[in-house]
């Protein structure tokens, strides 16, 4: 069987008697035009190494393989393994399926120590922890093209002063550049989730802040946004409050949501 001879995803699901399970955050993309479009937004180089989290019935996986990628797919739900084995058999040696929890996966080992891109229609329940892992952990993806709930996507790209601006915006923008490349209504998924979704393309900055600075930034943003309506002199009290702000040249009567990412980094530098 070759890739273009595989049955439609909906038929593969029926053949294997598979239905979506809420506990695994399963909302499938059955339209291969949509999955091909997501892969175009990923702008992968030729024969790119790609880690896909949660291949499920394999709609996005098929598009990645069709685009020439070498894919390692991590799926937690064992029920999908026989279906994914069929896909691997049609993938000309370019699909390896691993049964694991992506939160515990060692991406560097999975990528064989080579640079790798991450492309995923993320399970919503673990989307944010996975993103934080890829932004701040030891494995630095070459790029990430990720589907999130729209509200999370908006938080990732939010600018200072907006309601969506918070910890996720600061941490993500301190280490990468991120933009929303595609919006998807709930009806694009089977079964449809309660909310709309969006695809975010994230590219790590060429030089990333050292791990100690990122750790300080995480501590700082937790305190500052934990009490986002309070002035910094009060929300950052346990980290030095007025003295810390003075050292970074920042007015302590400002509130967290008004600080730029550069200003947060400048405060974090004083905590390292
Ligand atoms: N990629 C498929 C698609 O686009 O149709 C499925 C996407 S569905 C939103 C999320 C997938 O992630 C499901 O297949 C689910 O079983 C899997 N999953 C959920 N939690 C996971 C985890 N912790 N590690 C790996 N896969 C997980």
């Amino acid at each position: 069987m070759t890739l273009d001879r595989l049955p439609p995803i909906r038929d593969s699901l029926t053949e294997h008697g598979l239905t979506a399970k809420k506990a695994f955050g399963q909302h499938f993309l059955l339209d291969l035009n949509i999955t091909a479009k997501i892969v175009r937004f990923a702008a992968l180089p030729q024969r790119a190494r790609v880690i896909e989290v949660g291949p499920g019935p394999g709609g996005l996986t098929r598009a990645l393989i069709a685009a020439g990628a070498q894919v390692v797919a991590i799926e937690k739900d064992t029920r999908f393994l026989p279906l994914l084995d069929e896909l691997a058999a049609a993938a000309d040696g370019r699909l390896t399926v691993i049964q694991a929890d992506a939160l515990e996966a060692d991406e560097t080992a999975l990528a064989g120590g080579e640079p790798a891109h991450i492309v995923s229609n993320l399970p919503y329940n673990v989307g944010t922890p996975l993103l934080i892992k890829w932004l701040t952990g030891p494995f630095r993806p070459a790029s990430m093209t990720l589907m999130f709930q729209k509200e999370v996507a908006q938080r990732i790209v939010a600018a200072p002063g907006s309601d969506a601006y918070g910890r996720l915006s600061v941490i993500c923008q301190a280490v990468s550049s991120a933009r929303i490349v595609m919006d998807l209504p709930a009806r694009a998924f089977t079964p449809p989730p309660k909310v709309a979704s969006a695809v975010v393309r994230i590219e790590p900055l060429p030089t990333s802040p050292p791990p100690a600075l990122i750790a300080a930034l995480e501590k700082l943003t937790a305190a500052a946004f934990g009490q986002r309506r309070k002035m910094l002199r009060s929300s950052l009290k346990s980290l030095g409050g007025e003295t810390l702000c003075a050292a970074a040249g920042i007015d302590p009567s400002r509130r967290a949501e008004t600080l730029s990412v550069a200003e947060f980094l400048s405060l974090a530098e004083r905590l390292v």
Side-chain angles (χ1 to χ4, degrees):
M1 181 86 76
T2 53
L3 202 59
D4 52 339
R5 296 278 176 114
L6 287 169
I9 306 273
R10 197 180 286 281
D11 295 355
S12 297
L13 282 168
T14 311
E15 264 171 39
H16 288 268
L18 291 164
T19 51
K21 266 195 191 168
K22 217 175 170 181
F24 287 110
Q26 290 175 345
H27 299 283
F28 304 131
L29 289 168
L30 306 184
D31 182 341
L32 297 178
N33 292 315
I34 293 181
T35 58
K37 198 168 166 190
I38 295 169
V39 172
R40 281 201 295 280
F41 279 122
L44 298 167
Q46 294 253 312
R47 290 186 284 278
R49 224 170 256 268
V50 173
I51 296 177
E52 184 196 359
V53 168
L60 190 54
T61 324
R62 287 192 195 189
L64 286 165
I65 293 162
Q70 176 83 40
V71 182
V72 177
I74 312 168
E75 176 55 62
K76 189 171 174 187
D77 187 349
T78 50
R79 297 179 306 144
F80 283 86
L81 299 180
L83 181 156
L84 290 166
D85 280 347
E86 281 174 17
L87 182 50
D92 218 6
R94 288 188 291 111
L95 173 61
T96 308
V97 180
I98 312 282
Q99 196 273 318
D101 182 339
L103 285 168
E104 278 151 30
D106 176 348
E107 293 86 354
T108 308
L110 292 179
E114 300 285 329
H117 304 256
I118 299 180
V119 181
S120 174
N121 172 14
L122 285 170
Y124 291 145
N125 40 352
V126 286
T128 308
L130 281 171
L131 177 62
I132 295 289
K133 178 187 180 198
W134 298 326
L135 290 171
T136 64
F139 173 71
R140 282 180 56 76
S143 75
M144 294 179 257
T145 307
L146 306 172
M147 177 90 68
F148 291 97
Q149 284 166 259
K150 192 163 179 183
E151 174 257 325
V152 176
Q154 285 168 335
R155 285 202 275 131
I156 292 169
V157 304
S162 64
D163 283 346
Y165 187 63
R167 284 195 79 187
L168 197 55
S169 331
V170 176
I171 290 168
C172 189
Q173 294 168 32
V175 300
S176 68
S177 64
R179 66 196 171 95
I180 294 179
V181 292
M182 186 177 175
D183 284 311
L184 273 157
R187 64 170 186 282
F189 301 84
T190 304
K194 288 203 176 71
V195 292
S197 296
V199 177
V200 187
R201 178 127 199 308
I202 302 170
E203 246 177 78
L205 298 175
T207 47
S208 161
L213 186 58
I214 296 178
L217 193 62
E218 288 191 277
K219 212 172 4 166
L220 186 70
T221 51
F225 287 105
Q227 299 178 294
R228 63 186 289 145
R229 300 282 166 229
K230 290 206 170 158
M231 292 180 191
L232 295 171
R233 69 161 59 85
S234 151
S235 61
L236 298 183
K237 200 163 193 165
S238 63
L239 299 171
E242 296 226 3
T243 321
L244 176 69
C245 289
I250 290 168
D251 177 353
S253 66
R254 288 174 64 188
R255 291 173 175 80
E257 65 206 35
T258 71
L259 260 60
S260 67
V261 174
E263 287 175 316
F264 271 112
L265 279 168
S266 160
L267 282 169
E269 272 161 18
R270 268 90 194 163
L271 294 176
V272 176

